[in-house]
Amino acid sequence: MGPAAVARAAAVGGATLLALAASSTSSGPAASCSRGGACEVAKETALIQFRHITARNAKRSTSTFNRFCGIAVNRENGNEYDTKDLESAVNIVGVEGLWHYNWRMSTDVHVPGVLFVPMIKEPGHTLGVSVSELPTANENGVGTVVKGWNEPDDPGQAGHDYKLRSGPEAFAQKWTDDMNVAASKGYTEFIGPAMAHDVCWLDHFLKACETTAGCPEKVTYLAFHRYRNDCDSYKASPDNIGWRSDLGYILSYYRLMEKYNRRNTGFQIRGLVWDEIGCFENDYSTFAAEQDQLKYINEWYVKTLLAVKAGDEVISAAIRSTPWIMPVGPDAHAGEYALGKCKAIDGGANAGEEALQAIRSLVSVAWFSISPALNHLWIGGEGGDGLSSLGKAYFNACKGGFGASDVSVAPSETPSEAIIDEPVSSEPTLVTEAPSDVVTELDGKTVRLVSAETGRELYANELNWGAGFGGRTPTGDESGFWKFTRVATGAFRIVNAAHERTLYAAPGYTGAERVGAGTPSYVGWDGNWTVYPQGDSKIKLVNVVSDRTLYDDGTVGATANHAGMWIVQVSAVTTTPPATTSAAASTSEASSAPTPETLDGGVFWIHNAQSGRYLYADPAQNWFRGFGARDTPDSSCAWKFIRRSDGSFRILNNASDRTLYAATGYTADERIGAGTSSYVGSDGNWNVEQSGAGFTFMNARSARGLYDNKYVGANHEPSSAGIWNLVPPSDMTTTTTTTPTTTTTVATTSTTTTTMSVTTVLPSSGLTLDGAVVRIVNAATNARLFALATGNWHFDFGAAVNAADESASWKLTKQADGTYRIATVDAGRELYAAPGNVGTASVGAGNPVGTDGAWQIESLGGDHYRLTNVESTRRLKIDGTAVAADIGATGDEAAWLLEPDVTDTPPVSLDGALVTITNVASSRRLFARPDSDLTSAFGANPATEVLGPEGEWKLTRQADGSYRIVNPASDRSLYADSTMMWNDGVGAGLTVALDGDWSLVDQGGSRYRLVGQHNSRTLYAQVGKTGIDGVGAGVNNFIGDDGIWAIAPVAI
């Protein structure tokens, strides 16, 4: 992006070695092992091998770019970035693992050993400094790596040259010329043009490069940038659209690398460089808050990128099985390049596996660090020394992944002789003595942790997260025992032995905030702790990700650089946890009949009373595969029951750690199975009820009851096939399979749905609701519901007074049961409000949508209606300016007018008309003068100053109902570039493609909104400005009256 264009951009909205390390842990036995145990051994072995090979090759190779931890930073926005800042990063990462760049050829920030990578920012120069001024390689902290053009696909960066942005194939020779100059100065590795977003631009550039002499060998790495505006809700989960989008994005570049390397035209691309990454606010107005940046680091950088590289099979399995991983296309060899043509395409059946390979091919990632207290990695400002919370999280993460320690070890040629370094911390008060026997013996042991300051023991009871967690006077109760398990990086996971809650301290907080113990499968890398011995059986616990030290001063908390210490009660260390109450704990207990109250922690075979078969989940497979019921039980038939705080259960397969689920909106054997525990949501929660001698299992979210009738399924009324026996595995030899004689009624959820009076006629129009196209207008605010075709789910969804194009037109379709589906006319996005949520959570418009897309429409009298979601019973409403849904919502905020949409198209009589186009709010009239092109001699001036042909436009209606708007005097067509936004890319051109097609949305009284037919950009002219200043096109629902134009015929 480049710091100089941040404001404008905000408005717009070694690889082989890494692959070897990751691939060695993503196949074979590791793929089928459960959490911990063998998996950790496999990952640790792979990491040792990775470090050994990397260190060995680092000594042999002349390549200097073996550094994963990068920084994109410049002295800007008052951050006062300097050498002291860089030194504070070195204190964590080390010099060998770190590199930085500043979008320039030189820097005054130097730390010996840290690599500075200069940039040739655009063809021929950097900010006016000729490429010939590039510094000599291997001098003054510069290595042999050089970065190429910065965002040639973006108008705010190198792409301000329209010819470069619109014609990538014409610039392959210029790239070769620039890189040849670099080669003459000693550079040997060339990072390709860094893309802002348009993968297709790079594809067409490489297509031309392969036929340009000397070009292929001047592209060593492919580079790209990525900024998200949803970091506040981002999650490393297959059901998160942002996560899937990131997977599709990196997959796109990986496929380019593979494609051109296979073509045997001279390319030897070594990997991918992600050299700008960060977060914006939802509306792209500014950088996101630091806590949102931290969330993205944790969910994407740590839980996804680093986890895959470390061989984490849980996240790898989730990526393999994730649907809708969509790269972009079309392929450059299928046609010519055109702006705005690059779109998401089907990734194919192997997209998940290829996405894993794409992540493994990442050579480096560089965080975009500019604004203090937002995305800057340092405190910044005058006198603001030291790392920010964001910086501590980032540098600790990339250190823990593939940072300096990975390349600084120089073991012998035998991988088994390699040593995993002990974690390093920048905390100045830590004792640096060698680990004591206490620390060495902790792995696999269960101990008490007693505060050296207060004498209280750490505990976690049957609740979760921050609840039921803290310090207390030692009691001897089991909830005060903690099991230490060492992971591949040398850190520890610390899990409460009685309640299986994992200790964590989230980044970006301090004190008692976000410190606690939670469900192991939902605790990420902020559940990893470095143990520092302090002597006399005392230790410090420092969180690997957040750098927070655990303490108890009367309240348990975690703060960076705290003096808190804990006494490890060695006498309490045992090889097994204290005995816990379990239905399967002893022969006598196992023989007694279990009840829902005694299930928690128990392991049972789930045996169907009617079919006599046993539920199973194969450890080698996932989701619906390898799931069902079989006649003879084995280890895959054992299931563990974990009670949640609401009384429902998570049911985990004991052999595979797969969690039983039944998704909402389906029936029978559709979307039922057992999947990776950390990726199964609330449809993995089950209500277990006693039914005679057996049990029923009713999904707490989908209300589907588990049954076995030739196949395993889940219906709302499963009948007698839904009765199950719970058999402790040790009782198998005495188990009978007789069906209980008691007649049983399967329990259902207690939610009562009120039957509503559904009005089927719109009083104001006489139209029936079924099939009607309407505007949905809130009675309290007059805001119209909209869902843009460019988004999905909660993205580009909301309500605005000025929403007027097809994104605010909704079609009502009546279902057989009398409910309605409500979908946008243009994109078919269906309105939904998911159960189990409140307010703005999980309300939006998507495609496809399940049963939470069914609505009851209740007349409130007159033209007002109430919209109630059938599944969740949540009523649609406006909360401030946001669309929300709550159970029992009342008042005008929850009342909606259904206005017939009669403004689909402007009058056909406009076809062929010669008109003037004058902005209603600013009284500025569009003009275009002859002998110019694009944005030159184009704009909007006061109507009194625009006279004659320059202000006249001819409207020509096309077959699809859109219009071409052409100035006859200059033969220039009005356009809005699909790849840009707001004040960029609006003008009148001599040669205009699809960006010159406009929808005229009638506002009444010969007034219209001019909306791009193919890009949904709405034309505006701001008040108080002239010429091209303040003329632009953006998102319709954020544009007021300055987006309305009066169209008047020219008197002849």
Side-chain angles (χ1 to χ4, degrees):
M1 167 176 298
V6 164
R8 180 170 1 194
V12 176
T16 304
L17 298 178
L18 298 179
L20 173 63
S23 63
S24 67
T25 61
S26 61
S27 60
S32 61
C33 63
S34 59
R35 184 175 65 236
C39 275
E40 295 299 345
V41 172
K43 287 190 285 187
E44 182 161 349
T45 301
L47 194 57
I48 290 173
Q49 292 174 337
F50 166 79
R51 286 175 167 162
H52 164 72
I53 296 170
T54 304
R56 180 191 64 198
N57 288 0
K59 294 172 66 177
R60 295 177 178 175
S61 173
T62 58
S63 167
T64 59
F65 204 56
N66 48 18
R67 303 170 183 234
F68 192 77
C69 201
I71 318 164
V73 60
N74 191 30
R75 190 175 295 117
E76 200 163 318
N77 283 14
N79 63 33
E80 300 297 327
Y81 171 68
D82 58 18
T83 297
K84 288 182 65 177
D85 289 334
L86 189 57
E87 287 174 343
S88 64
V90 169
N91 288 338
I92 294 179
V93 179
V95 295
E96 296 93 344
L98 197 61
W99 70 282
H100 64 124
Y101 78 99
N102 61 359
W103 300 273
R104 289 161 174 76
M105 291 186 186
S106 61
T107 181
D108 61 358
V109 177
H110 296 285
V111 173
V114 177
L115 182 69
F116 172 73
V117 177
M119 171 182 278
I120 303 170
K121 193 173 183 182
E122 53 189 285
H125 67 92
T126 295
L127 301 176
V129 179
S130 171
V131 65
S132 63
E133 299 300 313
L134 188 70
T136 303
N138 285 321
E139 293 182 3
N140 299 319
V142 175
T144 59
V145 184
V146 63
K147 279 180 55 58
W149 306 336
N150 191 61
E151 299 185 351
D153 58 329
D154 188 271
Q157 293 296 313
H160 69 83
D161 182 339
Y162 182 78
K163 292 181 179 178
L164 174 62
R165 190 172 76 254
S166 61
E169 294 180 354
F171 283 80
Q173 184 59 58
K174 184 58 181 172
W175 171 268
T176 307
D177 295 342
D178 283 353
M179 296 306 118
N180 280 339
V181 173
S184 71
K185 291 176 174 284
Y187 293 90
T188 59
E189 296 179 275
F190 311 93
I191 300 177
M195 309 311 300
H197 50 76
D198 195 340
V199 182
C200 297
W201 190 101
L202 185 60
D203 192 3
H204 282 269
F205 170 80
L206 295 173
K207 173 186 173 183
C209 182
E210 70 178 346
T211 60
T212 301
C215 185
E217 54 265 36
K218 295 301 187 298
V219 181
T220 314
Y221 307 100
L222 301 185
F224 53 93
H225 301 162
R226 185 71 156 176
Y227 294 90
R228 300 212 61 86
N229 72 332
D230 58 353
C231 295
D232 57 343
S233 60
Y234 192 91
K235 185 178 180 182
S237 172
D239 61 5
N240 186 277
I241 190 172
W243 191 69
R244 298 198 306 270
S245 175
D246 277 347
L247 291 173
Y249 190 61
I250 190 172
L251 172 59
S252 300
Y253 291 100
Y254 172 76
R255 285 187 172 178
L256 285 190
M257 178 179 72
E258 290 293 289
K259 167 186 169 181
Y260 285 98
N261 281 345
R262 287 197 304 266
R263 289 176 64 83
N264 295 320
T265 52
F267 283 105
Q268 294 184 23
I269 303 170
R270 300 180 191 174
L272 308 180
V273 176
W274 195 326
D275 54 3
E276 281 187 33
I277 185 171
C279 302
F280 279 108
E281 289 290 357
N282 298 142
D283 60 0
Y284 284 103
S285 60
T286 186
F287 296 119
E290 186 178 59
Q291 63 186 35
D292 296 338
Q293 312 270 359
L294 281 163
K295 183 167 187 178
Y296 190 46
I297 281 183
N298 193 44
E299 297 294 324
W300 177 247
Y301 186 77
V302 175
K303 288 186 178 180
T304 306
L305 298 186
L306 294 182
V308 168
K309 283 184 165 294
D312 189 312
E313 185 55 32
V314 173
I315 192 67
S316 297
I319 292 173
R320 286 192 195 96
S321 59
T322 294
W324 302 110
I325 297 177
M326 302 180 72
V328 296
D331 190 287
H333 291 80
E336 297 301 315
Y337 178 76
L339 289 170
K341 190 177 181 181
C342 211
K343 305 293 183 184
I345 59 176
D346 185 358
N350 204 39
E353 185 60 47
E354 287 186 86
L356 288 173
Q357 296 298 334
I359 293 172
R360 292 166 186 153
S361 73
L362 269 176
V363 174
S364 187
V365 178
W367 185 263
F368 183 84
S369 173
I370 291 294
S371 292
L374 295 176
N375 64 3
H376 197 40
L377 298 175
W378 293 271
I379 296 172
E382 187 173 351
D385 295 329
L387 295 169
S388 64
S389 295
L390 183 69
K392 292 175 183 177
Y394 176 69
F395 292 119
N396 273 294
C398 65
K399 171 202 71 175
F402 299 88
S405 63
D406 296 320
V407 297
S408 61
V409 182
S412 69
E413 292 294 316
T414 306
S416 61
E417 295 179 12
I419 298 174
I420 295 181
D421 296 341
E422 286 300 316
V424 178
S425 172
S426 60
E427 184 177 348
T429 61
L430 291 178
V431 176
T432 57
E433 63 184 83
S436 68
D437 289 341
V438 171
V439 175
T440 305
E441 294 175 1
L442 277 178
D443 189 22
K445 301 301 189 296
T446 302
V447 303
R448 290 189 187 279
L449 295 173
V450 178
S451 169
E453 182 175 358
T454 66
R456 303 196 311 165
E457 69 177 4
L458 191 71
Y459 80 96
N461 64 20
E462 69 278 1
L463 299 178
N464 211 354
W465 308 114
F469 167 84
R472 69 183 180 198
T473 301
T475 64
D477 183 78
E478 300 159 355
S479 59
F481 285 90
W482 299 84
K483 183 175 181 179
F484 282 65
T485 302
R486 196 161 196 164
V487 298
T489 60
F492 285 87
R493 301 284 281 192
I494 305 173
V495 180
N496 187 267
H499 301 288
E500 293 194 24
R501 294 171 58 181
T502 298
L503 186 66
Y504 68 88
Y509 298 89
T510 189
E513 294 181 301
R514 296 293 182 90
V515 60
T519 306
S521 58
Y522 292 98
V523 175
W525 280 31
D526 55 3
N528 290 358
W529 296 84
T530 301
V531 177
Y532 292 95
Q534 303 296 294
D536 297 328
S537 298
K538 295 177 183 178
I539 61 173
K540 274 181 176 285
L541 295 175
V542 181
N543 192 273
V544 169
V545 172
S546 65
D547 204 32
R548 297 169 66 184
T549 300
L550 192 72
Y551 66 85
D552 178 28
D553 60 1
T555 300
V556 174
T559 299
N561 298 322
H562 199 280
M565 288 190 288
W566 297 85
I567 300 169
V568 177
Q569 293 194 340
V570 180
S571 59
V573 177
T574 60
T575 57
T576 58
T580 58
T581 300
S582 169
S586 68
T587 303
S588 61
E589 289 175 320
S591 299
S592 62
T595 67
E597 291 71 29
T598 62
L599 287 180
D600 189 25
V603 177
F604 300 91
W605 284 322
I606 302 178
H607 167 258
N608 190 268
Q610 177 172 288
S611 70
R613 302 197 307 167
Y614 296 82
L615 197 69
Y616 77 94
D618 190 335
Q621 300 188 66
N622 208 356
W623 307 112
F624 66 89
R625 295 183 176 87
F627 169 81
R630 56 173 48 126
D631 294 328
T632 304
D634 59 16
S635 62
S636 68
C637 297
W639 298 81
K640 184 172 185 178
F641 288 68
I642 300 175
R643 185 186 293 274
R644 303 176 68 251
S645 59
D646 62 1
S648 66
F649 287 84
R650 302 285 283 190
I651 305 175
L652 282 70
N653 187 269
N654 208 44
S656 64
D657 202 32
R658 294 168 60 181
T659 295
L660 185 67
Y661 69 89
T664 300
Y666 298 89
T667 187
D669 62 341
E670 297 178 306
R671 294 292 180 91
I672 181 172
T676 305
S677 296
S678 57
Y679 294 97
V680 174
S682 56
D683 54 6
N685 300 340
W686 295 84
N687 292 321
V688 181
E689 300 288 342
Q690 193 111 32
S691 179
F695 296 85
T696 61
F697 297 83
M698 184 66 66
N699 191 275
R701 181 181 182 191
S702 64
R704 297 170 62 188
L706 188 71
Y707 69 86
D708 179 28
N709 183 11
K710 295 184 180 179
Y711 55 81
V712 175
N715 277 338
H716 294 286
E717 297 180 3
S719 71
S720 60
I723 308 298
W724 301 81
N725 299 319
L726 296 182
V727 184
S730 59
D731 275 7
M732 176 56 192
T733 56
T734 61
T735 299
T736 60
T737 59
T738 56
T739 304
T741 57
T742 305
T743 302
T744 303
T745 302
V746 178
T748 59
T749 55
S750 59
T751 302
T752 301
T753 302
T754 303
T755 302
M756 297 184 173
S757 172
V758 179
T759 301
T760 58
V761 177
L762 288 170
S764 60
S765 64
L767 296 175
T768 60
L769 287 179
D770 187 23
V773 177
V774 300
R775 307 282 191 184
I776 303 176
V777 185
N778 187 262
T781 65
N782 290 322
R784 292 174 171 178
L785 200 67
F786 71 86
L788 301 182
T790 53
N792 205 3
W793 312 119
H794 67 280
F795 297 103
D796 296 334
F797 167 81
V801 173
N802 54 6
D805 61 12
E806 289 184 338
S807 68
S809 295
W810 299 82
K811 185 174 182 179
L812 311 179
T813 304
K814 191 173 184 178
Q815 308 297 296
D817 60 0
T819 63
Y820 285 83
R821 309 290 285 200
I822 306 173
T824 56
V825 172
D826 58 346
R829 292 179 60 180
E830 291 191 352
L831 188 67
Y832 68 89
N837 295 278
V838 297
T840 59
S842 293
V843 59
N847 187 358
V849 170
T851 54
D852 54 3
W855 295 83
Q856 289 180 323
I857 303 179
E858 177 188 10
S859 175
L860 299 176
D863 295 336
H864 292 77
Y865 297 83
R866 178 178 291 145
L867 305 181
T868 304
N869 189 272
V870 175
E871 181 173 7
S872 65
T873 70
R874 298 169 66 189
R875 291 175 179 170
L876 197 70
K877 69 174 190 177
I878 289 290
D879 184 359
T881 60
V883 179
D886 282 321
I887 296 173
T890 58
D892 286 348
E893 290 80 5
W896 300 84
L897 285 79
L898 301 184
E899 297 179 342
D901 184 4
V902 295
T903 60
D904 289 342
T905 57
V908 177
S909 59
L910 287 178
D911 185 24
L914 187 67
V915 300
T916 58
I917 304 175
T918 307
N919 191 271
V920 171
S922 64
S923 298
R924 297 169 63 186
R925 181 169 293 171
L926 282 182
F927 69 87
R929 299 181 181 126
D931 302 322
S932 295
D933 195 11
L934 304 176
T935 58
S936 177
F938 162 83
N941 280 336
T944 55
E945 299 178 11
V946 180
L947 305 173
E950 70 175 28
E952 298 173 357
W953 301 84
K954 184 176 181 180
L955 308 181
T956 303
R957 185 182 175 92
Q958 303 187 104
D960 62 359
S962 67
Y963 283 79
R964 302 289 285 194
I965 304 175
V966 181
N967 179 264
S970 63
D971 198 30
R972 297 169 63 182
S973 297
L974 185 68
Y975 72 88
D977 192 324
S978 295
T979 66
M980 304 183 199
M981 189 59 70
W982 305 116
N983 291 346
D984 292 316
V986 176
L990 296 171
T991 303
V992 175
L994 296 178
D995 290 339
D997 295 347
W998 296 87
S999 296
L1000 273 59
V1001 183
D1002 197 345
Q1003 305 294 294
S1006 298
R1007 301 180 308 159
Y1008 301 87
R1009 285 186 180 269
L1010 278 59
V1011 182
Q1013 177 80 350
H1014 304 288
N1015 56 36
S1016 298
R1017 294 183 64 184
T1018 296
L1019 189 70
Y1020 62 83
Q1022 295 171 332
V1023 176
K1025 299 182 179 180
T1026 60
I1028 199 171
D1029 190 22
V1031 175
V1035 179
N1036 180 72
N1037 299 311
F1038 297 107
I1039 298 173
D1041 289 345
D1042 57 2
I1044 300 176
W1045 300 81
I1047 296 181
V1050 174
I1052 299 177

